[in-house]
Structure formats: C-alpha cells, structure tokens
Amino acid sequence: MGKPTGFLEYERETAKVLPPKVRIANFKEFRTPLNKEKQKLQGARCMACGVPFCQSGMMIGGMASGCPLHNLVPETNDLVYTGNWKQAFLRLSKTHSFPEFTSRVCPALCEAACTCNINGEPVSTKENERAIIETAYENGWVTPQIPEVRTGKSIAVIGSGPSGLAAAQQLNRRGHSVTVFERKDRVGGLLRYGIPNMKLDKAVVDRRIHLMEEEGVKFVTNVNVGKDIKAEELLKQFDRVILACGASNPRDIKVPGRDAKGIYFAVDFLGQVTKALLDSDFAKVPYELAKGKNVLVIGGGDTGNDCVGTSIRLGAKSVIQLEMMPKPPVERTPSNPWPQWPRVLKTDYGQEEAIAVFGHDPRVYQTTVTEFIKDKNGNVCQAKLTKLKRKKHVDLLPNGYKIVRQSLVDDLEGEKKVCWETEILQDDDSGFTYEISRCLYFDTCKEHGYAEFCKVFCNHDWYAYGVLKHHSRFIRKSTIAEDGTVCHDTIEKVTEKHFL
C-alpha cells in the first residue's frame, strides 16, 4: 500500500495553519489543506506493513489503538497515492458515515498506531481522509442515497449528535422511516454546539444535514423528549426508539462557592458562543462572556482546549487551564510502547494561541479547585487552588484480598490476587484527594482468558474490575465527598448485572 519506499523518500507534511495571532481575530477554520500532488505524496508514505494497527480499533493497555471504525486505512492511502480519488471515496464510505467531521476533529488514533510512528513520523492519514471527502463533494460524488424500497417501519432517534446522525443515516438507507428529535434549535448536537466553529465549520455540518434530508430523514428541533413529548407517546408512534442523547451530561465539581455566577459547564459555554454567532450570521461576537476577564478553565482535555481558544477570541485578559494529572513526558516511556495511545505532551491550537498571546503555556498541572469566592453581587471573583501529588497505596478488599503492585502476575489461578491498583493524588496540607483506579495486567489477564472482565470504565466515577481465583470478581466504586475526601462506597461481588 502506497509506494514501497515512500516513507523513506518523503517527509510528513500537514496542512498549513495561520499564525496564532492572525487566526484569533475570527472564528473561521484556519487550516489550508495541501494541494492534490502533495497529498498524493503523503499517501505514498504508507509503508505496506504486515499488520496495519492503524485500522485495528482495539484496546491495548486500557486505551484505544487504531481506528474504532476500522477504516480501510492502507487501502485509502494507496488510492490517494495513485490519484484514484473516487475509488478512495467509495472505500472510505464502506466504513465511515461522516469523514468530513472526523477529518477535522478526530484525535487521529490511526496515526498514533501507524507503524511509521515507531521511530519516525506517522502517515498523515487524517488529512488524507479530509482530502478524499472534500474531493468527493467537489466532484459531485456525494449524492443522496435514497432507498428503493421502504420497509414500512418507523424509527425515532433521540439526539442529533454524531451517534444519532449516524444511526439515522444507516437506518434510513436500509429503508426504514427515521425521525430525529433534537431539543436545541438546530440539528447537530455536539457537532453544532459542543465544538467551536474554528475547529468544525458549521457549514460542513449543514451540508451533511441537507443531504440526509434529501435521503428522507426527518428532523424535528426544539423538542425535549420526556417533557414536550412523553416516552409512551413515542412508543405508540414508532416501531423502535433509539437513545443517542448522552454527550451533554457534564461532570460537575462540588466545592464551596460552586453556585457563584459566571461559572459555566464547558459545552454550555461553547454552545452559547456558537449560537450567538449563528443567530447573527457571524456579525455579532458575544464578547461580554469573556472580554477583559481572567478566565479559569478546569480540565486539560480537548474540550478544555476549545474553551481556551474560544476565550482568547472573546478578548479574555488572561486564561489559565488546570490539569489534575502530572505533566506528561515529551516522548514515550518504556511503560507506554507503540502501538499504545501515546501518553505524551501535546500542545493543541488553543494552547498555542495562549502561548502566543500571553507568553506562556496556560496549563497548570496537578492542580484543582477547592473553593470559589464570590463578590458582593454573587459573581465568582477568585478560586482557591490546591496542588496535588502522586501517591500510591495498597488497600484491602473483604476477606483479605489485596491489591497487588508487583511487576507480573505469577499465577492468577493459584493465588487470590486482584490485578488492579489505586493511585491517589493528595495534597498533604489540605487533605484533598482524588482517586484513579486502573488495570495493571491487561495483557496477562488476556492470556489467561480474563480479558472480558479486566477492563477500566470511566464515567462520573472511576471503576476497576479485578480478577480473582476461580473467576470470582469484585467491583469497587469510589466517589469524592463534599469535603474532598475519598469515600469507598461499595465493594461487592461482580455478577452478570454489571455487564448487561
């Protein structure tokens, strides 16, 4: 796939981006893709490796490695190299509903798992994907896929985010009549109001929505299912109901002063900005949200970075971004080998802009908020912070089962060992702690046939599953109390109910 020696002959090259101080003047996309000839050379870098982890979409070391959609990455890269753009589009469409979205906002798991990434630069698969789909639109190859026969079955999809849109598209193409309900005033969910316009231009979202409408999908906005229309009524009107409505459920921080004015959940803040821009056709920028203000962003992930970039565009006086975890290393450590997802330092567009505007990286590591201070009008004016530090401990389960930390599990069948560990981030002065549990021996458990249960799940709390003798398992759920201490709420034996 690609040119056999392409990865040796050509350097990785990506889209040109506007300088930070130029692009923060508006909310437009700021990447200029390569021309077709240069993009073909990037396809040539695909090295025809024997095992293409780029398309594996599997969990390795508790993290996703490779494309979760199982896109046929080597094939599409090869077709880009040969200039067969239409065939590349057809191959990409085999596995992918919306490449115009992912090629802009996906973290590129395919590139992290690229074999070229072992000791060099990965193939620019994400931008190859964007070139494929945009070329397809330019040439009129992306057309409405209207089913020839309708099944007579009706389906309601609750939520018009990426999962809801994908479900609606695929079910409609199979001949079912699909209606998508959205509580906001515009279709798109997280794509519309959770991702800033400079990262995903809303015209790109509208283009796909119009195409789906031509295919026969019906969209109903400003309807909050459960309030405006009851579940019983939906079940009477439709043969099936699909729930795709969870992305906007935020994770709160429960500390004194949280009720102060001027504290927003990230997606609410981003959505408010985008709505103001769309309502005014980008003529009105809601500067009042951040202009001249000192902005504190709690959370070091992608959405936090979007809040940093958005705040700068709104004229913030300063921006600080708190990250609970320690600063990652610049390069992979021996415990984080390829093709695992690289736990290394990354500086995204918003952080680049903060460095350019304020002269320093906005991120403050191993830090969180313990209290918000209000002024006399109830507005937030200060935040009390605390430094966290890594601290490991060994805890006990019922009947003396211990959490182990040795480098290998010698005999899972022969001894009563729980193969997960709890890490505590703790401030010695305030006593504020935060707990993270993770599986230590996923690969070893997989060899012993326990991989189905030896996984880590993350939602509002952290969960860890340990493997014990004779397949008995325990689940330990930990939460944070209002005073900041760790509460071990439950330790119970795992049964089938945990996996339903």
Side-chain angles (χ1 to χ4, degrees):
M1 300 299 174
K3 187 176 182 180
T5 57
F7 70 99
L8 298 173
E9 297 178 29
Y10 310 120
E11 297 292 329
R12 173 183 167 92
E13 189 174 0
T14 56
K16 304 301 180 183
V17 298
L18 291 174
K21 289 188 176 181
V22 174
R23 67 197 192 214
I24 62 173
N26 54 56
F27 284 83
K28 296 179 180 179
E29 287 189 0
F30 50 84
R31 301 180 185 276
T32 303
L34 302 177
N35 61 44
K36 290 292 191 298
E37 291 306 312
K38 286 188 175 181
Q39 202 69 59
K40 288 167 64 176
L41 297 183
Q42 296 307 303
R45 296 187 69 244
C46 191
M47 62 189 298
C49 53
V51 181
F53 280 90
C54 56
Q55 64 184 28
S56 62
M58 61 192 298
M59 299 298 292
I60 301 178
M63 299 171 289
S65 177
C67 178
L69 297 178
H70 307 293
N71 286 343
L72 306 172
V73 176
E75 295 186 32
T76 53
N77 282 337
D78 180 62
L79 291 166
V80 168
Y81 165 52
T82 58
N84 197 337
W85 294 98
K86 186 172 185 178
Q87 185 63 25
F89 162 66
L90 295 175
R91 298 305 288 169
L92 184 58
S93 300
K94 291 284 187 182
T95 57
H96 206 336
S97 293
F98 310 124
E100 64 267 43
F101 301 157
T102 57
S103 61
R104 287 170 166 83
V105 303
C106 175
L109 283 76
C110 54
E111 295 185 13
C114 176
T115 303
C116 286
N117 206 22
I118 296 177
N119 54 11
E121 293 291 324
V123 176
S124 55
T125 299
K126 180 177 176 179
E127 295 197 2
N128 287 348
E129 181 179 300
R130 178 169 176 171
I132 292 170
I133 187 61
E134 293 303 328
T135 300
Y137 272 111
E138 291 169 6
N139 287 275
W141 302 331
V142 188
T143 57
Q145 303 297 306
I146 303 173
E148 296 181 2
V149 178
R150 289 289 179 180
T151 64
K153 300 294 184 181
S154 61
I155 299 175
V157 177
I158 315 304
S160 67
S163 59
L165 292 179
Q169 182 202 65
Q170 295 300 311
L171 290 168
N172 179 75
R173 289 181 178 182
R174 283 161 175 75
H176 308 305
S177 298
V178 181
T179 301
V180 180
F181 291 90
E182 171 56 52
R183 63 182 173 185
K184 299 291 186 181
D185 60 333
R186 293 178 174 88
V187 176
L190 188 71
L191 298 170
R192 176 75 62 180
Y193 287 130
I195 301 174
N197 195 79
M198 61 274 193
K199 193 173 181 179
L200 174 61
D201 194 311
K202 305 315 163 193
V204 175
V205 179
D206 289 333
R207 181 176 62 182
R208 177 60 72 169
I209 297 301
H210 295 329
L211 190 68
M212 292 179 64
E213 288 176 329
E214 293 182 48
E215 293 178 342
V217 177
K218 181 181 179 181
F219 293 99
V220 181
T221 57
N222 292 308
V223 174
N224 191 346
V225 174
K227 293 184 178 180
D228 299 325
I229 183 172
K230 298 299 181 181
E232 293 80 5
E233 186 175 347
L234 283 179
L235 292 173
K236 290 179 181 179
Q237 293 182 18
F238 297 91
D239 295 296
R240 292 292 185 271
V241 176
I242 293 179
L243 303 180
C245 46
S248 59
N249 188 16
R251 183 177 183 179
D252 206 347
I253 179 169
K254 297 180 180 180
V255 297
R258 171 61 183 86
D259 59 338
K261 300 175 185 176
I263 300 176
Y264 305 90
F265 287 121
V267 173
D268 293 344
F269 169 69
L270 296 172
Q272 191 173 345
V273 174
T274 300
K275 179 171 171 52
L277 293 171
L278 294 178
D279 286 349
S280 65
D281 196 19
F282 291 86
K284 179 183 177 182
V285 178
Y287 290 112
E288 66 276 5
L289 290 175
K291 189 173 182 62
K293 302 180 186 296
N294 298 307
V295 177
L296 179 67
V297 178
I298 304 175
D302 289 344
T303 306
N305 170 74
D306 291 338
C307 290
V308 171
T310 298
S311 298
I312 291 173
R313 283 166 174 76
L314 295 178
K317 182 180 179 180
S318 69
V319 181
I320 296 296
Q321 184 179 16
L322 302 185
E323 168 59 74
M324 182 188 71
M325 300 303 293
K327 185 176 181 178
V330 176
E331 298 180 347
R332 287 182 183 268
T333 61
S335 62
N336 178 220
W338 177 91
Q340 289 183 3
W341 174 256
R343 296 192 296 267
V344 297
L345 182 65
K346 302 178 182 69
T347 302
D348 212 333
Y349 75 95
Q351 290 134 9
E352 291 176 350
E353 292 162 1
I355 293 171
V357 173
F358 304 118
H360 61 84
D361 194 316
R363 291 170 287 188
V364 180
Y365 295 94
Q366 290 185 254
T367 303
T368 192
V369 173
T370 58
E371 183 180 358
F372 294 108
I373 308 298
K374 309 174 190 176
D375 63 17
K376 61 181 181 180
N377 297 317
N379 298 306
V380 63
C381 61
Q382 290 183 358
K384 290 185 178 180
L385 308 181
T386 184
K387 294 292 292 184
L388 306 172
K389 74 175 184 178
R390 298 177 71 93
K391 180 179 179 182
K392 293 184 179 182
H393 74 176
V394 175
D395 205 353
L396 294 177
L397 285 175
N399 303 322
Y401 290 117
K402 290 185 177 181
I403 301 172
V404 296
R405 295 189 296 173
Q406 64 264 39
S407 59
L408 294 173
V409 177
D410 300 321
D411 184 2
L412 288 174
E413 287 288 351
E415 298 184 32
K416 299 176 180 179
K417 295 179 178 179
V418 182
C419 56
W420 54 270
E421 157 182 286
T422 300
E423 290 190 0
I424 296 291
L425 296 175
Q426 178 175 330
D427 176 39
D428 291 337
D429 295 329
S430 67
F432 186 87
T433 56
Y434 200 99
E435 179 172 303
I436 299 176
S437 297
R438 63 187 178 89
C439 175
L440 292 175
Y441 312 112
F442 181 84
D443 293 333
T444 304
C445 293
K446 184 177 180 181
E447 293 175 6
H448 286 77
Y450 301 140
E452 178 182 357
F453 300 101
C454 195
K455 299 177 181 178
V456 175
F457 296 81
C458 171
N459 195 357
H460 298 293
D461 305 298
W462 292 86
Y463 298 82
Y465 293 84
V467 181
L468 301 184
K469 184 179 179 181
H470 302 312
H471 294 215
S472 57
R473 287 165 287 274
F474 288 84
I475 177 174
R476 178 174 184 240
K477 177 180 177 182
S478 299
T479 59
I480 306 301
E482 291 185 0
D483 62 359
T485 58
V486 175
C487 300
H488 305 312
D489 292 333
T490 58
I491 300 177
E492 56 182 303
K493 190 170 183 178
V494 175
T495 61
E496 289 184 358
K497 71 178 182 179
H498 295 100
F499 303 98
L500 294 179

